[in-house]
Amino acid sequence: MLRTSLREISAALKEGQVSPTELCQKCLSLIKATRFLNAYITVAEDMALKQAKASEKRYRQGQTLGDLDGIPVAVKDNFSTAGIETTCASNMLKGYIPPFNATVVQKLLDQGAVLLGKTNLDEFAMGSGSTDGAFGPVRNPWSYSQQYRSKRAKNSSAQSGDPDWLITGGSSGGSAAAVSSFTCFAALGSDTGGSTRNPASLCGVVGLKPTYGLVSRYGLIPLVNSMDVPGILTRSVDDAATVLGVLGGHDPKDSTTVEDAFSPFQLPSLIDLKNLCIGIPKEYNTPGLSPETLAVWSKAADLFEKAGARVMDVSLPHTSYSIVCYHVLCAAEVASNMARFDGLEYGHRSNVDESTEALYAATRREGFNDVVRGRILSGNYFLLKQNYERYFIKAQRVRRLIANDFAKVFSSGVNVLLTPTTLSHAMPYAEFIKEDNRTRSTQDDIFTQAANMAGLPAVNVPSALSEEGLPIGLQFIGHAYQERQLLTVAKWFEKQVQFPAIELDGVMEHLHTTPHQEKSVFLT
Ligand code: GLN
């Protein structure tokens, strides 16, 4: 039952095949059984059960709230949740309980969704591995899948027990792991440079980054205000469209959301590709792209062509500037955003009390990890009076050129771009930490960051299993505010590839054969 889609589980709830409380309990026990994945920082057990009970009453009285009534969901721990600790996986916010809900969280609750808890991430969403949070790294459920383990047994002399577990990608790795291991039906992520799509690709789930301005950022603790977007992680494209229908629309509390009316939509089941033009950006065939991912990408282009779509090579000439441009802009916004964490109003406060400056410095040294502190330092450097023109303003200009590349391609008749999402499939944690994580992040985001700088919608669709039995994802990038078209194309493709469901018996086996180190990740 936990493996079904949103639509199916909603039907099962309506028909009384399962009650919201039973469903919630099933999810909570699976969360406990898979706690070694470290997907959740906080499990809001009591609150979730209360919400499930309330939903049950609504079903009994025939007064359900909406499509998500009684459906268990999870939320990345950088969205404010009233009464539930919100840490951003940072010691800086450990123990912080917001007095309000982010707009997107409130919208989920208003539809009757049951909020199971808060998912793990890289500290303040800075990273591409979900390896860099204060509460430990997230493990990719595929590490324990039959698909991967059977291949490993054949290809190496690997011992049984704990395999070299794989990273989830990031920074919304907890949400991706939660959805792919069936502990919830949908999860919120955030996407500033790829943080929803990257872990979706590595964990074999759908990850949608909506157009900037379509979904409210109110209550999403900011990383880069001009690029942050709440993301949606689900097991199917239809499910992502359903959740977008709940979340989209103007919010008076976020002046960057557009005022145009947003209408939720359902995707058609019969899809005709006849008048569709798919663009393949040639610059995305970049060094570092794995041969396997390249092959999956070209096969996908062939599929579209055979089905009658026009597939054409296009150029996004400023792609190679995207990483460095993102980094200047990201660091600059981080430097100003993080200034609020000074130990005075909320969050961590150091014991140092010689002077206000000393208190600030000690609080920030104790509260932030190296990645966050490094970005604050470089951001302040870029913003110095003598550097502002040379770095910040220049990067803003390059950002415009990157956005113009997309505009040009789209005005030439291209409806949707097809690209890889990540350079390769998930890699073992042990290998990932050998290299500097910051260096890795910069390479891994090459396909995703440009869409954030241009504000465009983009979605990861699980596309194939690698030779090792691991998910490979492809990305579709669409016109601004054309999520319907984007997701329709993604749905057609999803149907063609028939990506296999994760076979998770291995997780249970792992649980029973490997002594599990208790961690204090269950805070409520
Ligand atoms: N990896 C990118 C970074 O570290 C993107 C992060 C994100 O999208 N939140 O900035």
Side-chain angles (χ1 to χ4, degrees), residues 402-484:
I402 290 170
N404 287 350
D405 283 353
F406 285 106
K408 219 175 191 174
V409 162
F410 285 145
S411 67
S412 74
V414 168
N415 301 107
V416 169
L417 292 163
L418 169 63
T419 81
T421 309
T422 41
L423 290 163
S424 187
H425 55 68
M427 68 163 71
Y429 175 72
E431 221 172 282
F432 185 80
I433 54 168
K434 269 190 215 152
E435 289 181 51
D436 181 343
N437 183 25
R438 276 161 277 177
T439 320
R440 272 224 59 79
S441 309
T442 57
Q443 293 160 14
D444 263 340
D445 294 341
I446 177 79
F447 306 125
T448 50
Q449 284 176 349
N452 295 81
M453 285 188 282
L456 300 171
V459 62
N460 172 73
V461 180
S463 304
L465 279 190
S466 73
E467 232 166 69
E468 279 182 273
L470 294 174
I472 292 178
L474 291 178
Q475 169 180 242
F476 296 93
I477 305 174
H479 291 227
Y481 302 106
Q482 301 290 318
E483 271 78 0
R484 191 174 194 279

Side-chain angles (χ1 to χ4, degrees), residues 76 78 122 124-129 170-172 190-198 223-224 228 326-327 330 371 375 441-442 445 448-449 452:
K76 188 177 179 179
N78 57 351
D122 289 299
F124 282 100
M126 299 184 205
S128 302
S171 62
S172 314
S190 63
D191 197 311
T192 307
S195 275
T196 292
R197 292 159 286 158
N198 175 304
L223 171 60
V224 183
D228 295 341
Y326 171 89
H327 270 267
C330 172
V371 177
R375 289 197 197 186
S441 309
T442 57
D445 294 341
T448 50
Q449 284 176 349
N452 295 81

